Amino acid sequence: MFKNKNGTLNNISGKNISRIRKLISPTMSQRALADRLQLCGIDVDKNAIQRIECGKRFVTDIELVAIAEVLGVTVLELLSHEELPVNNPQ
């Protein structure tokens, strides 16, 4: 398995995924996000979402695109180091 030598995080999108998930209205739980991703064909569970958000799990490009779609944001917003405004995905 690949060992990350650039620090302790295995992704830079986890913090943004967590922040955006909590900011959208109504708030989406980790389980709800996992369930919505499974409907998109992405095989993740609540524990995988938890590991992504705390930076312990790598995120594939396919997963990142699906997460952005479910949260109603762009992939760039998930990868940004700035806190960009969040649109409600209604």
Side-chain angles (χ1 to χ4, degrees), residues 16 22 24 26 28 39 45 50 53 57 62 83-84 89:
N16 286 332
K22 294 172 185 173
I24 60 175
M28 184 181 296
L39 292 174
D45 61 10
Q50 182 179 22
E53 289 185 352
R57 182 183 180 281
I62 294 168
E83 289 192 16
L84 302 172

Side-chain angles (χ1 to χ4, degrees), residues 25-67:
S25 181
T27 301
M28 184 181 296
S29 68
Q30 290 175 335
R31 180 169 309 284
L33 177 55
D35 290 347
R36 301 257 322 255
L37 289 171
Q38 287 179 3
L39 292 174
C40 295
I42 305 298
D43 188 24
V44 295
D45 61 10
K46 179 212 171 277
N47 294 328
I49 299 300
Q50 182 179 22
R51 292 180 66 229
I52 288 169
E53 289 185 352
C54 69
K56 292 183 179 179
R57 182 183 180 281
F58 289 102
V59 183
T60 67
D61 54 352
I62 294 168
E63 292 170 333
L64 201 59
V65 168
I67 291 168

